Amino acid sequence: VKKSIVFSTLLLAGVYSFASEITGYIGLEGRGFLDNPIHENQKNNSLSTSLSLEYFHDFEDDNERIVATGYARKDSSTDGRDHFDISELYWWKGYDDFELYIGVRKVFWGVTETSHLVDVINSSDSVENIDGEDKLGQPMVSLLYEQDWGTVELFSLTGFREPTYLGANDRLRSELIVEKDLTTYESSQEEKHIDFAARYSHVLGDLDLGLIYFNGTSREAEYNKKSVEGKDVLAAHYNQVEIFGTDIQLTKGDYLWKLEATHTKPKSDSSYFSQVGGLEYTFVGLANSDADLGIFMEYQFDERDHAFGQNDLALGTRLVLNDTQSTEFIGAVTQDLDNKTKFISLEATRRLTDTWSIESELRVFTSVDSDDSLYDLREDDYLQVLFKRYF
Amino acid sequence: MLSLHQNKKITSPVITALLVGLLSSFAFGSTPEERGLEIAIEVDKRDNGYNDSTSTLEMILGNKYGESTTRTMRNKTLEQPDDGDKSQITFDNPRDVKGTSFLSYTHKKGSDDQWLYLPGLKRVKRISSSNKSGPFMGSEFAFEDISSQEVEKYTYKYLKEETLNGRDTYVLERDPVDPKSGYTKQNVWIDKERYIAMKIDFYDRKSSLLKTLTITDYKQYLDKFWRADKWEMVNHQTGKTTILNYSKWNFKTGLKDKHFTKNSLKRSR
């Protein structure tokens, strides 16, 4: 009897080791800026450390799960990038017909490479990177219903997470810094307004289709100049908006065709249309090697004159070596078609060992027009190297 | 042929022998192509009905200097009644790709559907399946080598019988139907008794021998389904090797279509 108890305990332990786990990484990031700063007290180099910790636990025959993820950054030269965020803290349960999520989550929507228009659930963690891909955890209750005719997701977003803003000593900041205390909201409930979002998605053969709807506090601020004790600063104002959008990808042979489009209707302003779309072609097994070379083109359009990507063309390339170290390069040049402004981005990643990897990026802003939305970043070209140690 | 039956002077053992010969040649098809196809169909038929399976997998990549690196992953597969299998592979190691998952719907005809889940971005990406000739995770296995082997993906030719490691085998040539394949042909050694592949020679686009796969340590599950624990691929042109060690096989675990969707892919751990 004892033996069988010991055995079943061991068996349980064996099963449980897979159903519950703490993982994460420590990041060591160095940034070097190629031009002298515009503002006082901005530095040319910075070193910063980040930590990501993730825990998950599956139970009830894998029909329930708890996930908790925390993220923190400490920067050597400034304090604007120092922060801590609960990226995820939720409970999930799968029922026969639907799934329920309660808690803080990150949800990504979209298909394109150079802009993320339909990715409207989470607020940006802007101090992390200018690419808009880093997000803050969003509290919610959401239901997911999956059928032969498609997947429907409904979200009640219980409270707005205000995006992070760079400080006065940070590079890559706007001309004027955002003063968080001055933030205002259109809704009288302010950041406590409960937003609603929905998504329908379906796979039809080669076509991946998504339709989105959002109604609530805009994740994108409108900035107004204000004067505080004789000093000019920016105050963020968050409007109530309604967004209808779609994301479509057609995968045909070596071609990927991609489109994201949104129609945004602010409650007390005129509505506008935004889109990003294009194609990617891959040369598989370039010159009889194991490497794949992709080339892509995306056109960005926004009806608002001063939006990012109001009339821009991005051309890029992706080189995947398919080697043991998973070495990859991705580079893109985004050209504003109304003025001469160019944005160049190069990224490379490579695995060093089983637990270490290196990621680097070079970002260059050239011929920046004084009317362009990138004008504030004209002297902020930088090279970044990030080492990650996973555990 | 009919005239044989009408010739009454032939003694009955001879007739029996001829009839057996006739029947067996009929059963295995009269041309090498038909016979090859029938063997391939029998291989497929004998593996029908497992419904779903799960396993864990260790992949050891070796270079010509004898250095090696190891990856671990988990695999789950779901049979489809009228189409190729659905399968999902989730990586556990190396750590930078931990949680990365690859979902694939194999189709008997046309290109497969593939999605990749990137846990860092919480993003599911549909990827082109025209990379089938490319290496899977830097290994000597191409995507097309590890995907579900549907009968319709090749044309066949029966070559000969041969003894391999003390077992009687049929040797077939199979030519990929898809022009995106990295191979002009494959020669497959199939165990005559168990109808399982024991060895495959892969010929590249220039028809030179590229790789040899040796499949060993077969075990039978549920008194029917044979699964090999060890797959060893040797690249003759580069000297690199990849060994796949499968373990923890489970069958009929109750997996359903809903466990193989873009949504379930996002939940993979």
Side-chain angles (χ1 to χ4, degrees):
Chain A
V1 177
K2 266 184 187 169
K3 257 186 190 169
S4 73
I5 290 172
V6 170
F7 182 71
S8 56
T9 313
L10 280 174
L11 201 69
L12 264 177
V15 170
Y16 262 75
S17 67
F18 253 92
S20 171
E21 202 170 36
I22 295 181
T23 53
Y25 66 81
I26 293 172
L28 295 168
E29 176 197 288
R31 265 185 188 175
F33 290 86
L34 311 180
D35 304 307
N36 286 324
I38 301 171
H39 307 288
E40 262 180 65
N41 299 324
Q42 285 185 325
K43 298 211 169 68
N44 274 338
N45 301 295
S46 72
L47 199 63
S48 90
T49 330
S50 56
L51 171 71
S52 173
L53 263 185
E54 180 175 343
Y55 169 79
F56 87 95
H57 178 58
D58 282 345
F59 51 106
E60 293 290 324
D61 287 337
D62 292 348
N63 281 314
E64 284 187 60
R65 173 180 287 174
I66 288 171
V67 177
T69 308
Y71 181 81
R73 173 179 296 281
K74 178 86 189 105
D75 199 283
S76 68
S77 54
T78 68
D79 55 5
R81 296 185 75 207
D82 293 356
H83 69 298
F84 166 75
D85 184 48
I86 293 172
S87 320
E88 292 176 298
L89 182 61
Y90 67 81
W91 169 71
W92 169 84
K93 186 169 164 78
Y95 294 88
D96 285 342
D97 284 336
F98 64 95
E99 296 169 23
L100 173 68
Y101 289 90
I102 298 176
V104 177
R105 286 175 73 200
K106 277 189 189 178
V107 175
F108 179 87
W109 293 344
V111 292
T112 51
E113 297 298 322
T114 56
S115 179
H116 304 294
L117 293 174
V118 300
D119 189 26
V120 296
I121 295 289
N122 296 83
S123 304
S124 283
D125 193 359
S126 323
V127 300
E128 281 294 309
N129 202 307
I130 54 166
D131 61 12
E133 285 178 358
D134 296 283
K135 300 284 182 174
L136 298 169
Q138 170 66 49
M140 66 176 76
V141 176
S142 81
L143 277 176
L144 185 145
Y145 184 67
E146 196 170 25
Q147 287 294 311
D148 293 341
W149 44 265
T151 303
V152 174
E153 292 163 88
L154 301 173
F155 299 82
S156 175
L157 307 171
T158 52
F160 173 69
R161 293 291 314 281
E162 188 172 3
T164 51
Y165 310 111
L166 288 165
N169 301 342
D170 290 307
R171 300 294 292 258
L172 298 161
R173 72 162 165 91
S174 46
E175 176 71 26
L176 300 177
I177 61 156
V178 180
E179 183 55 64
K180 215 177 166 182
D181 294 342
L182 300 177
T183 297
T184 53
Y185 295 87
E186 180 171 20
S187 164
S188 57
Q189 294 157 307
E190 301 194 318
E191 76 276 15
K192 292 187 187 68
H193 184 273
I194 293 174
D195 307 331
F196 174 75
R199 178 177 168 86
Y200 166 80
S201 56
H202 196 34
V203 178
L204 289 158
D206 296 332
L207 197 71
D208 287 54
L209 171 77
L211 296 171
I212 67 139
Y213 175 76
F214 176 89
N215 191 338
T217 308
S218 173
R219 269 51 182 156
E220 241 181 281
E222 195 174 83
Y223 296 104
N224 301 301
K225 198 157 120 177
K226 292 220 169 128
S227 188
V228 177
E229 292 160 7
K231 206 177 87 186
D232 284 344
V233 292
L234 291 180
H237 180 72
Y238 291 92
N239 285 311
Q240 288 292 302
V241 294
E242 202 178 4
I243 305 172
F244 295 89
T246 184
D247 57 277
I248 301 168
Q249 182 176 325
L250 179 68
T251 307
K252 270 274 182 227
D254 297 325
Y255 287 93
L256 309 178
W257 298 85
K258 297 172 175 187
L259 176 73
E260 288 184 28
T262 51
H263 182 264
T264 309
K265 235 169 88 185
K267 198 176 165 193
S268 47
D269 204 348
S270 50
S271 58
Y272 56 90
F273 173 79
S274 319
Q275 77 94 42
V276 52
L279 76 156
E280 177 163 349
Y281 180 83
T282 305
F283 298 93
V284 176
L286 182 72
N288 281 324
S289 70
D290 285 340
D292 297 335
L293 180 76
I295 46 171
F296 60 89
M297 191 199 82
E298 285 182 1
Y299 173 67
Q300 306 165 357
F301 174 79
D302 198 302
E303 270 191 320
R304 296 167 298 169
D305 283 345
H306 287 280
F308 285 102
Q310 97 290 0
N311 182 22
D312 292 23
L313 186 68
L315 292 173
T317 178
R318 186 198 311 271
L319 179 65
V320 179
L321 295 189
N322 286 316
D323 56 350
T324 317
Q325 292 82 21
S326 301
T327 313
E328 291 191 27
F329 302 90
I330 181 165
V333 179
T334 307
Q335 170 77 56
D336 191 301
L337 299 177
D338 293 332
N339 57 51
K340 287 187 173 149
T341 309
K342 264 195 198 70
F343 169 55
I344 301 164
S345 170
L346 288 171
E347 294 176 10
T349 58
R350 184 175 163 91
R351 178 181 312 115
L352 298 172
T353 71
D354 251 17
T355 51
W356 283 90
S357 73
I358 181 169
E359 301 174 11
S360 55
E361 62 184 50
L362 174 71
R363 300 226 152 115
V364 176
F365 311 89
T366 67
S367 325
V368 186
D369 194 276
S370 58
D371 268 347
D372 199 90
S373 48
L374 290 177
Y375 185 68
D376 292 351
L377 309 181
R378 65 194 178 279
E379 301 295 335
D380 285 336
D381 298 351
Y382 71 93
L383 175 71
Q384 172 180 303
V385 179
L386 167 65
F387 289 93
K388 277 184 174 172
R389 168 67 163 90
Y390 295 85
F391 52 83
Chain B
M1 287 243 200
L2 275 174
S3 66
L4 281 179
H5 296 273
Q6 287 156 354
N7 190 337
K8 284 170 185 153
K9 279 183 186 167
I10 293 171
T11 53
S12 61
V14 177
I15 291 175
T16 313
L18 279 169
L19 272 175
V20 167
L22 187 72
L23 279 172
S24 64
S25 78
F26 180 73
F28 287 116
S30 47
T31 67
E33 286 76 16
E34 283 167 2
R35 196 167 174 194
L37 178 62
E38 283 179 29
I39 294 168
I41 288 171
E42 183 64 21
V43 170
D44 188 62
K45 208 177 97 189
R46 291 207 185 188
D47 198 46
N48 271 346
Y50 66 86
N51 192 56
D52 66 80
S53 70
T54 62
S55 60
T56 61
L57 175 54
E58 180 189 55
M59 182 186 257
I60 304 166
L61 314 180
N63 65 16
K64 60 182 169 188
Y65 309 109
E67 298 159 343
S68 70
T69 46
T70 304
R71 313 189 175 322
T72 52
M73 54 204 95
R74 284 163 285 140
N75 193 13
K76 59 182 184 183
T77 306
L78 181 68
E79 265 191 314
Q80 295 293 301
D82 301 310
D83 204 350
D85 296 343
K86 291 181 178 178
S87 69
Q88 188 183 315
I89 296 171
T90 305
F91 292 94
D92 288 320
N93 209 295
R95 300 307 289 233
D96 62 318
V97 292
K98 183 179 165 56
T100 301
S101 264
F102 174 69
L103 173 67
S104 149
Y105 294 178
T106 326
H107 297 303
K108 294 191 173 196
K109 285 185 179 136
S111 52
D112 298 344
D113 303 331
Q114 298 177 344
W115 294 267
L116 193 64
Y117 174 63
L118 305 168
L121 297 168
K122 314 276 173 214
R123 180 171 184 177
V124 172
K125 275 187 156 183
R126 173 83 173 254
I127 55 173
S128 167
S129 61
S130 65
N131 65 346
K132 65 190 311 170
S133 63
F136 175 73
M137 278 300 285
S139 75
E140 296 311 308
F141 285 83
F143 278 86
E144 61 187 308
D145 304 338
I146 57 153
S147 74
S148 167
Q149 300 295 319
E150 305 300 325
V151 173
E152 291 82 352
K153 299 218 158 193
Y154 304 93
T155 58
Y156 300 86
K157 200 197 295 178
Y158 172 81
L159 296 179
K160 59 184 173 186
E161 294 185 7
E162 206 173 89
T163 305
L164 180 69
N165 301 332
R167 297 197 68 94
D168 292 335
T169 63
Y170 299 115
V171 187
L172 310 184
E173 177 186 325
R174 58 180 195 189
D175 302 343
V177 172
D178 190 336
K180 299 270 182 202
S181 171
Y183 312 118
T184 43
K185 67 165 186 173
Q186 300 174 3
N187 286 348
V188 191
W189 280 256
I190 289 163
D191 186 307
K192 275 171 94 169
E193 183 199 340
R194 299 175 294 177
Y195 278 88
I196 50 181
M198 296 174 65
K199 179 177 145 181
I200 305 175
D201 276 343
F202 297 86
Y203 291 82
D204 67 13
R205 286 181 179 139
K206 291 173 195 144
S207 297
S208 340
L209 180 62
L210 175 65
K211 301 186 290 192
T212 297
L213 174 64
T214 313
I215 311 171
T216 53
D217 299 357
Y218 271 103
K219 293 193 182 87
Q220 196 174 27
Y221 297 87
L222 308 182
D223 290 329
K224 183 173 178 190
F225 311 106
W226 292 98
R227 290 292 179 274
D229 286 348
K230 188 168 185 182
W231 298 46
E232 187 168 9
M233 185 76 91
V234 177
N235 187 319
H236 303 293
Q237 298 179 3
T238 63
K240 290 184 186 171
T241 58
T242 298
I243 298 169
L244 301 184
N245 290 316
Y246 281 92
S247 58
K248 296 184 189 163
W249 280 103
N250 281 298
F251 294 84
K252 300 192 174 173
T253 65
L255 289 172
K256 298 186 177 68
D257 281 318
K258 72 170 183 179
H259 299 107
F260 295 84
T261 65
K262 281 168 83 177
N263 170 44
S264 68
L265 186 64
K266 281 182 206 168
R267 282 203 321 275
S268 59
R269 292 278 163 171

